[in-house]
Amino acid sequence: MNRTRLLTTMALFVAIGTLGSHLLWFPAGIAKAYPVQHAVNVLAAVTLGPLPAAAVAFMIGLLRNLLGFGTLIAFPGGMIGAFLAGVLYLKFGRKIWAAVGEVVGTGIIGALFAVPFAKVLMGSAAGAFFFVPPFLVSSIAGAAIGWMVLEKVKVKNLVQNM
């Protein structure tokens, strides 16, 4: 993939993730679930790979924070989930593994990483039980959406053309 096409595709994913997260969300217990971010993570992981997917997740988190509808804990969950989704897709070559990587990376690892992250940067004393359930709900919903979109798209042709 040439650099211009890569950056353009990444920018499109950032735009979809940023706007979609603002427009489509639902309550998940005491938090809000933003499934579009997770769907974009799965799509970017499969079409772009682990590092560009993590960069897309970082940019979405940054823009959401700058626009005032995100929190600092969007960074660890989104980036870890996107990266793991890309790694598992590369290792196993199946789209479902990208979705699994997103759920495990964001819903479990990212949620656990958010505990000290929130304590140090946000002054929150919330524990793992505060973060894991909403992170899991959001990442499962978004990963399922991303996987369903991928099932409808001929990913091999898309990736080969890139």
Side-chain angles (χ1 to χ4, degrees):
M1 171 186 296
N2 69 38
R3 191 165 179 80
T4 302
R5 183 174 284 183
L6 172 66
L7 291 174
T8 304
T9 306
M10 289 172 69
L12 284 171
F13 280 135
V14 170
I16 292 167
T18 303
L19 293 173
S21 293
H22 180 63
L23 299 173
L24 180 65
W25 59 272
F26 60 89
I30 54 177
K32 291 180 182 175
Y34 296 96
V36 175
Q37 165 80 59
H38 307 289
V40 167
N41 284 354
V42 172
L43 294 169
V46 170
T47 58
L48 304 175
L51 290 176
V56 166
F58 172 80
M59 288 304 300
I60 293 170
L62 181 63
L63 286 172
R64 286 178 56 205
N65 275 280
L66 291 174
L67 293 170
F69 55 89
T71 65
L72 293 175
I73 59 173
F75 290 106
M79 293 171 61
I80 293 168
F83 183 78
L84 187 58
V87 167
L88 290 182
Y89 179 74
L90 285 178
K91 180 167 178 58
F92 297 108
R94 296 187 60 210
K95 296 171 265 189
I96 191 68
W97 282 104
V100 169
E102 172 62 22
V103 171
V104 171
T106 298
I108 299 171
I109 299 169
L112 294 174
F113 189 84
V115 174
F117 192 80
K119 185 172 179 119
V120 171
L121 295 177
M122 300 167 63
S124 171
F129 291 113
F130 179 80
F131 290 111
V132 172
F135 273 46
L136 271 175
V137 168
S138 187
S139 63
I140 289 170
I145 292 167
W147 177 72
M148 286 188 282
V149 169
L150 288 171
E151 285 297 307
K152 296 296 180 186
V153 175
K154 298 231 183 256
V155 175
K156 285 193 175 189
N157 292 340
L158 179 65
V159 172
Q160 287 173 353
N161 290 335
M162 296 181 129

